[in-house]
Amino acid sequence: MITPRLAWRNLWRHKRRTWLTASAIAFATTLLVFMITLQLGAYDMMIDTSLRVFTGQMQVQRAGYQAKPQMRATVPEAQALAARLRAASGLDGIAVRAQGFALASSSTRSYGVPVIGVEPAFEARVSTLPRLIRQGRYLSGDATQEAVLGAALARNLKLEVGGELTLLGSGKDGSIAATIVPVVGIFESGNPELDRHLVQLPLRTFQEVFTMGNDAHAIVVSGPGHETIPQTKAVVSAQLAPGSGLVVLDWEQLIPGLRQLIQADMVQNWITYIALIVIVTLSIMNTFLMSVLERTREFGIMLALGSSPRRIGAIVLLESVYLTLLGLGIGMLLGGGIAVYLHYTGFSFPGMEEIYAQFGLPGVIHPKLSFAGFTLGPAVIFVFTVLAALYPALRIRKLHPVEAIHAV
């Protein structure tokens, strides 16, 4: 036990240098713990925000519909299945949708648009669109003859609330699907694609116009948070009859680009983190190297008295480990404390809440408290600093006792 004791005692021979070096490690650790937990919390917020607008956390569809949407690839008796899923999962955020494509026309212009049939009573539980009506109101019932559409599409068609929208498409059985419905509401989601293309009809109206019967194309499911998606997906999958041809797709399958965007952002941020760690590591390596150089005579005497270069190198390496752990401990306490505090109070950039409130979304980031968030950054710092200490420790193997004793 003499080697650890000597390393610990040597660490405090220069208290000021020890505390300055530990403070540098603590600062980097505090910054990394806070930034990583905030980054993970921002990703959770990004996912929840994206899913709340329209997609939902998961959807029940006919196998192959996501890759190639076709009118005939339907979910039979969709509303009855949705009712069973609500009873089995205990979730209210389950809504049926049907989707088609039609030529939307006003008195002056025409555009090809996707037309979505929704359940007005349940749509607000899986989507923020019903709360983002800027003019007029949302759909009032499943079988009413009315429509809502995006603000950009309304401008392109030169339609206002009260105007008539003509839809011309193809039904499930190949027949012509045509209807004229009044526009009762115009929404503005903040998503250019939705605002420029989307038209919503009540589900029953859509089924009648597109000859769908009681079928639909998707059952959208949204739970309290995306952390519960695996459990909810298992419950929903259990309610699907074997051989029914239905599948449950989670958000990563519905919006694969969102996961890719998060991964790209994570790589970009880690480049910054590694640059910070390298800068701190180089300063620490300089401290360790100076410590070894100024103790050359001491090491020469130890070698002359019979100590092996391996033991002296172990002492130097242990000094660096103790110093690193000291800085990491302080940094994890500070960074973890800030993360825990902001997890409950929330963190927001100036103006962020006001911007998000316009679209019915929370503008506060809550750092994610997780084992990876607290330990990943400190673990990388520990590895880098220990590797940095290897160079000064290995220099001891080249020392010769006589030359080291006479070193100035």
Side-chain angles (χ1 to χ4, degrees):
M1 298 297 294
I2 190 65
T3 300
R5 291 173 60 188
L6 284 175
W8 179 255
R9 291 176 62 184
N10 289 336
L11 193 63
W12 299 105
R13 292 165 63 178
H14 299 281
K15 294 183 179 180
R16 181 179 299 179
R17 183 171 62 190
T18 296
W19 280 117
L20 285 175
T21 307
S23 298
I25 299 173
F27 173 77
T29 304
T30 301
L31 192 61
L32 280 180
V33 170
F34 169 67
M35 292 302 298
I36 291 175
T37 55
L38 185 66
Q39 180 182 354
L40 295 176
Y43 292 155
D44 287 352
M45 179 184 177
M46 183 189 303
I47 294 170
D48 287 336
T49 298
S50 301
L51 301 185
R52 285 183 186 182
V53 174
F54 185 72
T55 307
Q57 293 177 348
M58 65 191 74
Q59 293 184 14
V60 178
Q61 299 179 357
R62 174 70 59 181
Y65 178 80
Q66 178 67 17
K68 188 177 181 181
Q70 295 180 336
M71 285 293 292
R72 296 184 180 182
T74 61
V75 178
E77 302 296 332
Q79 287 182 292
L81 176 58
R84 293 200 301 272
L85 294 178
R86 293 186 196 104
S89 65
L91 296 175
D92 292 330
I94 298 178
V96 176
R97 287 186 190 150
Q99 179 172 337
F101 190 84
L103 183 67
S105 305
S106 62
S107 58
T108 58
R109 295 183 177 182
S110 299
Y111 289 92
V113 296
V115 181
I116 310 296
V118 300
E119 296 179 290
F122 295 101
E123 185 66 16
R125 302 174 187 178
V126 299
S127 170
T128 59
L129 290 185
R131 300 191 294 274
L132 299 177
I133 299 295
R134 298 298 182 238
Q135 300 177 38
R137 60 173 176 81
Y138 194 62
L139 304 173
S140 58
D142 281 356
T144 54
Q145 296 291 320
E146 54 193 22
V148 297
L149 64 158
L153 179 60
R155 287 194 299 270
N156 292 337
L157 290 174
K158 296 185 177 180
L159 278 175
E160 296 182 353
V161 173
E164 290 188 337
L165 177 67
T166 302
L167 298 173
L168 180 63
S170 177
K172 178 184 175 182
D173 58 0
S175 61
I176 295 176
T179 187
I180 300 176
V181 290
V183 176
V184 298
I186 297 174
F187 63 81
E188 189 171 358
S189 67
N191 185 322
E193 289 299 315
L194 295 180
D195 294 344
R196 189 167 54 247
H197 295 113
L198 189 63
V199 174
Q200 286 191 346
L201 300 177
L203 181 62
R204 290 294 183 187
T205 301
F206 181 97
Q207 290 171 330
E208 291 176 3
V209 172
F210 288 86
T211 60
M212 295 284 294
N214 293 325
D215 295 355
H217 293 106
I219 300 176
V220 184
V221 181
S222 286
H226 78 276
E227 297 87 355
T228 62
I229 289 179
Q231 297 88 338
T232 304
K233 186 176 181 179
V235 173
V236 172
S237 299
Q239 299 302 312
L240 304 181
S244 63
L246 303 180
V247 295
V248 183
L249 304 179
D250 60 27
W251 68 272
E252 295 190 42
Q253 297 165 296
L254 296 170
I255 320 178
L258 182 58
R259 172 57 68 186
Q260 296 170 3
L261 178 63
I262 290 175
Q263 291 173 343
D265 183 74
M266 184 176 294
V267 170
Q268 180 180 354
N269 286 331
W270 266 103
I271 292 174
T272 304
Y273 298 156
I274 294 298
L276 171 66
I277 294 172
V278 168
I279 293 172
V280 173
T281 301
L282 291 176
S283 65
I284 294 170
M285 184 174 66
N286 180 66
T287 301
F288 292 156
L289 184 58
M290 291 300 297
S291 174
V292 170
L293 292 177
E294 71 181 16
R295 295 158 63 188
T296 301
R297 294 185 63 188
E298 173 188 333
F299 294 150
I301 294 173
M302 294 177 66
L303 289 171
L305 293 175
S307 294
S308 65
R310 179 179 296 179
R311 168 163 290 188
I312 299 175
I315 292 174
V316 174
L317 193 60
L318 273 175
E319 290 177 21
S320 67
V321 170
Y322 288 151
L323 185 58
T324 302
L325 291 177
L326 177 63
L328 291 178
I330 297 172
M332 291 178 69
L333 286 175
L334 293 175
I338 296 172
V340 170
Y341 173 76
L342 293 178
H343 175 76
Y344 294 103
T345 61
F347 177 83
S348 179
F349 298 102
M352 181 177 174
E353 293 187 61
E354 291 77 7
I355 294 174
Y356 274 68
Q358 297 177 11
F359 306 109
L361 300 170
V364 178
I365 302 174
H366 296 273
K368 184 176 182 179
L369 305 182
S370 65
F371 180 78
F374 282 112
T375 60
L376 190 57
V380 175
I381 292 177
F382 180 80
V383 171
F384 271 69
T385 51
V386 171
L387 290 177
L390 285 176
Y391 174 67
L394 292 175
R395 281 181 59 90
I396 299 173
R397 300 177 63 90
K398 299 180 180 181
L399 292 180
H400 298 284
V402 176
E403 296 176 1
I405 292 173
H406 290 88
V408 179

